[in-house]
Amino acid sequence: MSPFSKLVILDNNCISNFYLAGSLESVLILWPFKVFVVPQRVVKEAGNWREHGEAVCRILHSLSAKGIIEIVAINEESEEETGAYALLRLNAWSLGQGESESIAMASHRGYIVATDDRLATECCRKIFPSVEVVTTGDILKMGKSDGLLKESQIEKMWKLIKQKRAKRG
């Protein structure tokens, strides 16, 4: 049914975009099966968002409790995952902990990385070229192609994201 061939690991910027559009929960529950995973460090980063962190974390934990998403962590016993995480954290790209955890787990678990962070995308493609990267827009397009979202809904979400991002900075 879905164009997603693998689980999608969400970075904080995709989560915050969906939240700004008032659609975090509604987008993550679109598919009738679990599609999304969220790294623990991304949940922590989301919680640090002064304005909306508490609400975002409440949504993520609620969706996890319902089995709609899964909150995941680096396997500390896996040399491959911890090594990939360390490589990303020590790299000159200065990736955040959430981006690093997302990419490290995706590279060893076969996940698709969802990020709107250009630096994270470039780093992922350079160090782990086999890892597929998608954006907020790609997720919305997949929702449309699966018949789960209408074009008008996507346009409304993008308008809200752009408006709220413009207000912030």
Side-chain angles (χ1 to χ4, degrees):
M1 171 170 181
S2 176
F4 293 118
S5 57
K6 308 171 191 174
L7 288 175
V8 177
I9 191 162
L10 293 169
D11 187 22
N12 191 38
N13 47 39
C14 290
I15 290 170
S16 63
N17 279 338
F18 291 134
Y19 183 83
L20 289 173
S23 303
L24 178 58
E25 185 169 6
S26 62
V27 167
L28 298 184
I29 65 171
L30 283 174
W31 287 269
F33 47 86
K34 183 173 60 176
V35 171
F36 300 103
V37 296
V38 181
Q40 284 183 341
R41 287 179 174 97
V42 167
V43 174
K44 183 178 178 184
E45 284 180 358
N48 291 334
W49 187 6
R50 249 181 273 176
E51 288 178 81
H52 305 292
E54 189 176 315
V56 170
C57 286
R58 190 171 36 253
I59 292 168
L60 294 174
H61 287 294
S62 172
L63 293 173
S64 177
K66 294 174 186 173
I68 295 166
I69 66 167
E70 183 178 357
I71 296 174
V72 295
I74 287 266
N75 178 353
E76 297 294 339
E77 295 181 15
S78 166
E79 288 183 26
E80 291 84 9
E81 280 189 20
T82 56
Y85 179 76
L87 174 67
L88 291 161
R89 291 296 295 149
L90 296 173
N91 220 298
W93 285 291
S94 302
L95 292 178
Q97 292 181 9
E99 290 100 350
S100 297
E101 187 174 42
S102 297
I103 296 167
M105 286 193 288
S107 70
H108 294 284
R109 298 184 191 187
Y111 297 156
I112 297 168
V113 173
T115 184
D116 293 321
D117 186 297
R118 187 175 26 176
L119 198 55
T121 299
E122 290 172 10
C123 182
C124 182
R125 289 186 174 146
K126 183 171 183 165
I127 297 176
F128 301 107
S130 64
V131 174
E132 182 180 353
V133 179
V134 298
T135 63
T136 298
D138 294 327
I139 293 169
L140 295 175
K141 288 175 195 170
M142 288 181 196
K144 181 182 175 194
S145 72
D146 278 356
L148 304 170
L149 285 171
K150 296 178 183 169
E151 186 68 33
S152 61
Q153 291 172 296
I154 294 171
E155 288 173 10
K156 181 180 176 186
M157 284 185 231
W158 274 123
K159 184 177 179 182
L160 286 168
I161 291 167
K162 288 178 183 176
Q163 285 175 346
K164 293 186 178 182
R165 290 256 179 237
K167 286 181 186 178
R168 289 179 44 193

